[in-house]
Amino acid sequence: MLKVCNLSKIWKDFKLKNVSFEISNEYCVILGPSGAGKSVLIKCIAGILKVDSGRIILNGRDITNLPPEKRNVGYVPQNYALFPNKNAYKNIAYGLIIRKVDKLEIDRKVKEIAEFLNISHLLDRDVKTLSGGEQQRVALARALILNPSILLLDEPTSALDIRIKESIISELKKIKDIPVLHITHDLAEARTLGEKVGIFMDGELIAFGDKDILKKPNNRKVAEFLGFNVIDNEAISPEDVIIKDGEDYEVVNVIDYGKYKKVFIKYKGYIIKSFTEMDLNIGDRVGLEFRNKIKLSS
Amino acid sequence: MEKLDILMSIFLIIIFLFIFLPIVYMLTHPGNLGVLLDNEVIDAFKTTLLAGTVATLIALIFGIPTGYILARYDFKFKNFVEAVFDLPMAIPHSVIGILILSFIYGVSVIKFIGNYVVDNFFGIVIVYLFVGIPFMVNSIRDGFLSVDEEIEYVSRTLGASKVRTFFEISLPLIRNNIISGVILSFARGISEVGALLIIAYYPKTVPVLILERFMDFGLNASQPISVAMIIVSIALFAMLRAFRKHKVKNTG
């Protein structure tokens, strides 16, 4: 269980302002735009950065001032940071070697975790020759093999192409029984993986809770980040914009996803996003109806 | 190839030959190589290589922590500190001699050091260290800069202390930078003449001996030793290039 209380930190151009949240053995995704300071949060929990104020409690133990090597956290940075001079096996085994674990035991554990993450065939490989997705799995194995009290994932899929991304997500779904803190700017990842979800903007955790918070933005900034249409003081999810026959509004752009299209429609000076299976093209005229509107605070 | 490229290639060829031809000529006309068996010559080689080795070891011992701090931390006056480390490359060689000597004789507390430095083996070591340290510091700093800090962070979270991470993860990763720092500072050291003429003419190093033979006996007398020195230099740089190539292969 991880408990973060009133955490503040200023580092380079980033800052955390009074961040508090709590997660138990669940998969928590913290969502925020790039440059919001999400990595700083993870680095504070890992002990890489010292906090300016606040407390971090892991499994009832105050780890705020412990060095990283005494925290027992699994950390997978955005670029995986594999040791380039060790092969995949030695990368994964490194933490156990430090703990002076018996050689046979190391061998057994490495093989077990490799099988769990489908990288058994890569163990002898030079990590510099691995693809992004393979490197990601090795980095995950290296962290998980130590049975960490929490797994910290910094944008784990941002450097991967879409197909690999999906397979890593299904790998991540298999991780059970330990808290996972996963930070990302990708809404789909938050929806797919998050048992708990947080929204992080400008150094603040502005919303935290179950997945429903993704459907209920409370202010304009969050609404825009989550992809809502913001009209005056109301947010409307693109799914709640119903396109009907009519002549009132003009389609100004269309992105074709195959089964459905994302259309951009000019509406009273705003550009509104909506999804439809109708065959619409730029210049077509349509009617609109809003199914559900959410009042925004500011 | 386009005309402009052909024209530019001609420039390349001319300037290449400007350096290459004299070296080839020298190597093919070494003169009386028997001179190399002179005791004086052999002693000069011993002195040069030993002083080079000692100075390089000292440079290495100081260069590794210095390079690490310069690569990992920002501090006030860091630019100034880095510029100072580069200075020995820019100061004329004879001036370096005057500089060191003035300092030793000028500051009364350390005046006694003069006895161990002037016309002494340790004087050579000090000069070599002074002129060679920029290459060591820069090479090692660049090495640490190229090691992703995330790698060190991960090592820490895996249970390795800061000391262990430094020796087991970071240092092995900059092996090639250490080697090139060693070769460059060694090569820079043993080629020094100007400062030695002022601080430690004796015991004679090879370049000083070459100069002396030239002054006393002329070109023919200095040629064979020069050839030997060229071969030492070429060997050093061949090693350097071999390691650099190795590095490119590793990271590519």
Side-chain angles (χ1 to χ4, degrees), chain B residues 86-101 127 130-131 188 191-199:
Chain B
D86 282 342
L87 266 186
M89 298 194 285
I91 301 176
H93 301 179
S94 53
V95 176
I96 290 177
I98 303 285
L99 198 79
I100 296 175
L101 211 55
V127 168
F130 198 93
V131 298
R188 174 64 188 89
S191 63
E192 180 58 34
V193 179
L196 289 184
L197 292 179
I198 289 160
I199 293 184

Side-chain angles (χ1 to χ4, degrees), chain A residues 84-95:
Chain A
N85 53 344
K86 300 180 191 290
N87 68 15
Y89 183 100
K90 289 207 172 117
N91 262 275
I92 298 170
Y94 187 65

